[in-house]
Amino acid sequence: MTATLASSDFDYVSQLVRTSAAIVLEPGKDYLVQSRLAPLAREQGLPDIAALVAAARTERGTALRDRIVEAMTTNETSFFRDVHPFEALKSDIIPAVMARRQAERTLTIWSAASSTGQEAYSLSMLLLDEFPHLASWKVTILASDISEAALDRARSGRYSQLEVNRGLPAAKLARHFDRDGATWVAKPRLREPMRFASVNLIGSWPAMPPIDIVMLRNVLIYFSVDTKREILGRMKRVMRPDGYLMLGNAETTLNIDDEFVRVEPTRGSCYQQRAHVTNGRTRT
């Protein structure tokens, strides 16, 4: 399945993902469409992507078009991805949140593009291993994604040897997962704080508790400036006023939403609302 992608087929896919998920697919990304949709074409028993697009254009419902959008929006993920954000959570962010929530003893984290769940389970491992006092708190990790297939994987808590080899230290694997044949399955205590929801960031959002920490890493890079601005505005409405927003290393709120200010010292790309920051540090 190596035929050149016709420009009309690329344009169709580009418009579909822009309309459905606000993702901007720049010209020249033919290779990405090929790599993401070739497996779907094979799964559908079709000879190539041209046939897949033709079927999507003429289908009565939206099932195939939804599958194309899911395939194009499934992002790279791994356990403890990029390391530094998790170090920042451990050393600075979670201790600061815990200090301010002592009276109510609640902590809510949203993994807003959790894909197949590795980020959310990494968060759960971090809390269990580094913050045992949270055992008496009400802790919620909300894991959401636009892809139902990805969410089903996340809910299962089941990962292949190749997947756990990507970022998950052997000691954590043994502590938090059980071996089941060729796969590893998350233990009940790791799953306990998890809540899963299908959320399209440009669609309607479900009711949420006030969020202390939002993990929105490596997501905004796919959107236009206007869409980034809209999403950040909506984030402010669901976050605690003193909550934290964590973005990917290549992402920023600068010149998009200046109410968010980068917080130091952290080695992650971490932001708070300006009213709670003085000289780059959180007000106490």
Side-chain angles (χ1 to χ4, degrees):
M1 197 176 293
T2 58
T4 302
L5 185 67
S7 61
S8 59
D9 291 339
F10 177 86
D11 291 344
Y12 175 82
V13 174
S14 177
Q15 182 60 39
L16 179 62
V17 297
R18 181 186 288 268
T19 301
S20 301
I23 290 176
V24 178
L25 196 58
E26 301 286 355
K29 296 286 188 179
D30 303 54
Y31 69 92
L32 184 62
V33 176
Q34 291 272 15
S35 65
R36 296 284 178 87
L37 296 189
L40 179 58
R42 287 193 293 270
E43 177 190 315
Q44 296 292 316
L46 298 169
D48 51 31
I49 295 173
L52 179 72
V53 170
R57 289 178 187 272
T58 59
E59 73 169 340
R60 288 180 177 272
T62 65
L64 186 54
R65 292 194 289 275
D66 291 345
R67 292 292 307 280
I68 289 173
V69 172
E70 283 197 0
M72 292 304 304
T73 56
T74 300
N75 296 315
E76 174 70 10
T77 188
S78 60
F79 289 99
F80 296 98
R81 184 181 179 186
D82 301 329
V83 180
H84 291 324
F86 294 93
E87 292 178 348
L89 286 165
K90 175 183 173 181
S91 63
D92 299 311
I93 299 169
I94 293 175
V97 172
M98 289 178 66
R100 295 198 290 271
R101 304 289 184 263
Q102 281 291 340
E104 57 192 276
R105 303 174 75 80
T106 65
L107 172 64
T108 304
I109 306 177
W110 181 16
S111 175
S114 65
S115 186
T116 47
Q118 284 91 325
E119 179 178 81
Y121 285 108
S122 297
L123 291 167
S124 187
M125 282 183 268
L126 176 69
L127 298 181
L128 285 170
D129 292 345
E130 305 297 338
F131 301 96
H133 294 312
L134 287 174
S136 62
W137 286 41
K138 180 182 179 182
V139 176
T140 303
I141 299 173
L142 175 62
S144 72
D145 202 85
I146 191 174
S147 168
E148 286 289 356
L151 282 172
D152 285 344
R153 287 283 321 282
R155 288 187 187 99
S156 76
R158 183 180 294 270
Y159 298 96
S160 68
Q161 186 68 53
L162 179 62
E163 287 171 321
V164 299
N165 284 347
R166 300 188 63 211
L168 188 53
K172 289 186 182 295
L173 176 62
R175 188 180 309 124
H176 296 295
F177 289 80
D178 292 318
R179 188 71 181 258
D180 183 17
T183 62
W184 293 87
V185 183
K187 291 183 177 180
R189 67 172 177 267
L190 197 62
R191 299 168 177 268
E192 200 280 330
M194 309 285 258
R195 304 293 183 269
F196 299 95
S198 176
V199 178
N200 182 339
L201 290 173
I202 67 159
S204 59
W205 295 4
M208 299 180 190
I211 308 295
D212 296 297
I213 302 168
V214 175
M215 308 292 285
L216 189 65
R217 301 192 302 133
N218 308 304
V219 179
L220 294 182
I221 53 175
Y222 296 101
F223 298 129
S224 69
V225 170
D226 287 343
T227 301
K228 292 175 185 179
R229 188 171 290 120
E230 178 185 350
I231 291 171
L232 290 174
R234 297 176 74 181
M235 283 296 174
K236 286 182 291 190
R237 293 194 288 274
V238 300
M239 290 173 62
R240 300 260 196 171
D242 61 352
Y244 294 85
L245 171 69
M246 299 200 75
L247 303 181
N249 291 334
E251 298 169 318
T252 181
T253 65
L254 188 64
N255 297 324
I256 300 171
D257 189 327
D258 290 337
E259 289 185 38
F260 279 109
V261 180
R262 185 159 180 158
V263 181
E264 302 293 347
T266 71
R267 286 185 287 176
S269 196
C270 180
Y271 296 80
Q272 279 191 297
Q273 294 185 56
R274 186 178 296 277
H276 290 272
V277 178
T278 301
N279 296 325
R281 294 174 182 267
T282 304
R283 293 179 182 172
T284 56

